[in-house]
C-alpha cells in the first residue's frame, strides 16, 4: 500500500476521487439541473490521457478508490477508452454512478474493466412520480437494466433522493424492492446544491423522519460502516438492506476522504464549495503544487449551501 501523502490539517486523508466524465445527461432530475440546462463546451473536456495521467499521479499520493460519475457518465463517447485506461492502474476499487438508462449497452465494458460497484439512481417505482422527478419516462428500462446487472453479478446500490409529496409515499415499496431484489437501497436527503435549494422548504425530508416513519412497520437493525462512509446502514429481518445519506441533517465532513474532478478539469476539495483549481494544461510539477493547495481548501464544517449545479461538479 502507498504511504498516504494527501493529508490535511485536520488529519483527513484523501483516498477517494469522484471523476466526472461529462456534465450532460439524458434526464433532468429536478434536484440536479433545469430542463433547459446549459452545458460545458465539449472541447474543454479532459481527454482520456489526462484522466489517466492525473489518476496515476494521485495513486502515488495515496488514492485508492475511484468513482466515475457526471452528469451521466455513460453518455461520454470515450467512456470505454477512459474506463480501459483507468482499469490498468493499481486502484483498489473503481465504481460507477449512473441513472441506468444506458447500462445494458456497457455491461461488458464494465466487467472487462473490473468496474463492479454500481450506484444506480432510481427515485421512484411509479411512472408518474419517476416522470415528475426526472422529467424522463424510461422507468421500465432502468428497472430492466438493474435486473440485468444484478444477474451479471454486479454489486449494486440504489440511490433514491427523497422528496416530500413526490416519492415519500413509496418508502415501504422501496423496502420491498430491496428485499425482493436483494439490493441495497440508500435514501438520500435532498442537498442544498444549485437547483435543489429552491425545493428545500417544501420537499426536504430528514433521514430521521424516514426512519421514524419506517419503525412501526419494519425492525431496523444497525450495520457497522467505515468512518468515512457517506451512509449509515440497516438490515431488516425480512432481508432488506437500507442506507441513509443524511448530508444535510448529519453531515460527515469531519471524516470526508473525497475530492472531485469535473469534466473540464476543475478539482474541488468539497462538493459544497464553488472554488476549485484547474488542472488542465498543467505540468505534473504544477499539478502537484495544486494538490497541496487543495488540501487547504476542504472545509471542516459543512457549508450551508452552494449555488453551482450538481451535474457540473460530479455527484
Ligand atoms: N447521472 C448519474 C446518476 O444520476 O446517478 C450520476 C450523477 S448524479 C449527479 C449522482 C448522484 O447525485 C445521484 O444519485 C443523484 O440522485 C444525486 N444528486 C444530485 N443532486 C442531488 C441533490 N440536490 N441532493 C441529493 N442528491 C443529489
Ligand atoms: Fe442526470 Fe444524474 Fe443529474 Fe439526474 S441526478 S439529472 S440522472 S446527472
Amino acid at each position: 500500500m502507498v504511504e498516504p501523502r494527501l493529508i490535511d490539517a485536520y488529519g483527513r486523508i484523501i483516498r477517494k476521487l469522484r471523476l466526472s466524465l461529462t456534465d450532460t445527461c439524458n434526464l433532468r432530475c429536478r434536484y440536479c439541473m433545469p430542463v433547459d440546462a446549459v452545458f460545458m463546451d465539449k472541447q474543454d473536456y479532459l481527454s482520456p490521457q489526462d484522466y489517466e495521467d492525473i489518476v496515476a499521479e494521485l495513486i502515488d499520493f495515496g488514492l485508492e478508490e475511484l468513482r466515475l460519475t457526471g452528469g451521466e457518465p455513460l453518455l461520454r463517447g470515450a467512456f470505454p477508452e477512459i474506463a480501459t485506461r483507468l482499469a490498468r492502474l493499481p486502484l483498489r476499487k473503481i465504481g460507477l454512478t449512473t441513472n441506468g438508462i444506458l447500462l445494458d449497452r456497457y455491461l461488458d465494458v464494465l466487467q472487462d474493466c473490473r468496474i463492479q460497484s454500481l450506484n444506480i439512481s432510481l427515485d421512484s417505482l411509479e411512472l408518474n412520480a419517476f416522470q415528475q422527478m426526472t422529467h424522463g419516462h424510461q422507468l421500465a428500462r432502468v428497472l430492466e437494466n438493474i435486473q440485468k446487472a444484478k444477474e451479471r453479478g454486479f454489486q449494486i446500490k440504489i440511490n433514491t433522493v427523497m422528496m416530500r409529496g413526490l416519492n415519500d409515499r413509496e418508502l415501504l415499496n422501496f423496502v420491498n424492492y430491496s428485499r425482493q431484489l436483494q439490493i441495497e437501497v440508500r435514501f438520500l436527503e435532498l442537498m442544498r446544491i444549485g437547483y435543489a435549494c429552491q425545493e428545500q422548504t417544501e420537499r426536504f425530508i430528514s433521514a430521521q423522519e424516514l426512519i421514524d416513519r419506517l419503525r412501526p412497520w419494519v425492525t431496523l437493525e444497525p450495520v457497522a460502516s467505515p468512518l468515512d462512509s457517506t451512509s449509515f446502514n440497516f438490515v431488516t429481518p425480512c432481508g432488506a438492506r437500507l442506507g441513509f445519506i443524511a448530508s444535510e441533517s448529519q453531515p460527515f465532513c469531519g471524516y470526508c476522504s473525497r475530492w472531485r474532478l469535473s469534466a473540464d478539469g476543475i478539482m474541488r476539495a468539497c462538493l459544497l464549495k464553488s472554488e476549485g483549481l484547474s488542472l488542465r494544461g498543467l505540468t505534473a510539477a504544477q499539478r502537484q503544487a495544486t494538490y497541496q493547495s487543495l488540501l487547504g481548501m476542504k472545509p471542516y464544517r459543512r457549508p450551508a449551501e452552494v449555488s453551482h449545479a450538481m451535474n457540473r461538479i460530479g455527484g
Side-chain angles (χ1 to χ4, degrees):
M1 208 168 93
V2 177
E3 186 73 20
R5 283 152 73 193
L6 297 174
I7 307 175
D8 76 4
Y10 301 100
R12 292 174 297 186
I13 303 175
I14 304 307
R15 295 187 188 279
K16 302 182 182 178
L17 181 65
R18 299 277 165 94
L19 207 61
S20 176
L21 304 190
T22 176
D23 62 336
T24 58
C25 194
N26 40 7
L27 290 180
R28 293 288 183 276
C29 301
R30 55 193 292 159
Y31 48 73
C32 181
M33 64 167 99
V35 173
D36 58 351
V38 177
F39 298 111
M40 299 170 185
D41 188 338
K42 289 192 171 54
Q43 305 227 347
D44 291 338
Y45 281 175
L46 292 173
S47 68
Q49 182 73 59
D50 291 334
Y51 283 116
E52 184 179 347
D53 291 347
I54 292 169
V55 173
E57 197 167 274
L58 286 170
I59 291 172
D60 289 340
F61 284 79
L63 185 75
E64 294 174 352
E65 289 185 23
L66 205 59
R67 182 159 288 280
L68 309 181
T69 182
E72 175 46 44
L74 298 181
L75 282 179
R76 176 79 189 250
F79 181 84
E81 184 186 350
I82 296 171
T84 304
R85 283 171 179 268
L86 297 173
R88 292 198 290 250
L89 302 176
L91 286 155
R92 189 166 66 187
K93 176 172 158 189
I94 309 179
L96 172 78
T97 304
T98 174
N99 61 29
I101 293 174
L102 299 173
L103 195 54
D104 50 337
R105 295 190 200 165
Y106 287 94
L107 290 175
D108 289 337
V109 174
L110 294 170
Q111 212 137 40
D112 291 346
C113 296
R114 63 186 180 87
I115 302 177
Q116 275 295 117
S117 156
L118 307 182
N119 290 355
I120 306 177
S121 294
L122 176 65
D123 291 330
S124 175
L125 298 163
E126 298 171 7
L127 188 55
N128 276 348
F130 184 87
Q131 282 173 336
Q132 270 187 306
M133 290 192 65
T134 67
H135 292 106
H137 54 272
Q138 303 92 328
L139 173 62
R141 186 160 174 187
V142 174
L143 292 173
E144 236 171 73
N145 284 346
I146 292 172
Q147 187 78 46
K148 281 185 187 161
K150 172 82 184 157
E151 283 160 13
R152 293 274 295 264
F154 286 90
Q155 190 198 322
I156 301 171
K157 290 180 184 169
I158 301 297
N159 281 350
T160 304
V161 178
M162 273 294 169
M163 294 180 85
R164 193 181 301 285
L166 290 179
N167 61 349
D168 58 326
R169 66 174 177 274
E170 296 180 60
L171 195 53
L172 282 171
N173 294 351
F174 274 108
V175 176
N176 216 17
Y177 182 77
S178 168
R179 180 186 63 78
Q180 275 174 350
L181 269 83
Q182 284 299 292
I183 288 180
E184 180 176 340
V185 173
R186 304 187 308 172
F187 300 109
L188 280 66
E189 286 184 353
L190 180 65
M191 293 179 73
R192 292 168 191 268
I193 299 182
Y195 305 98
C197 294
Q198 64 207 37
E199 300 257 32
Q200 283 288 328
T201 316
E202 197 183 344
R203 305 286 184 200
F204 176 78
I205 311 179
S206 69
Q208 190 56 54
E209 177 180 332
L210 294 175
I211 290 169
D212 291 344
R213 282 165 65 171
L214 281 173
R215 284 217 197 271
W217 305 98
V218 282
T219 306
L220 297 173
E221 295 162 3
V223 175
S225 312
L227 270 183
D228 71 340
S229 169
T230 51
S231 62
F232 48 95
N233 304 300
F234 300 91
V235 289
T236 71
C238 69
R241 284 180 287 139
L242 307 176
F244 295 85
I245 304 189
S247 353
E248 289 290 325
S249 65
Q250 301 175 53
F252 29 80
C253 307
Y255 297 105
C256 182
S257 55
R258 291 168 197 84
W259 279 357
R260 292 167 196 268
L261 182 59
S262 68
D264 58 352
I266 311 284
M267 186 74 98
R268 287 185 174 80
C270 172
L271 177 61
L272 287 144
K273 292 290 274 186
S274 292
E275 301 80 28
L277 298 175
S278 177
L279 301 181
R280 276 182 60 224
L282 301 188
T283 62
Q286 287 168 328
R287 285 199 298 260
Q288 287 169 22
T290 307
Y291 301 145
Q292 295 310 313
S293 307
L294 275 159
L295 284 175
M297 292 172 68
K298 197 169 180 62
Y300 192 70
R301 287 185 196 288
R302 187 187 184 282
E305 64 176 56
V306 70
S307 60
H308 59 220
M310 178 72 125
N311 67 305
R312 288 185 74 89
I313 311 304

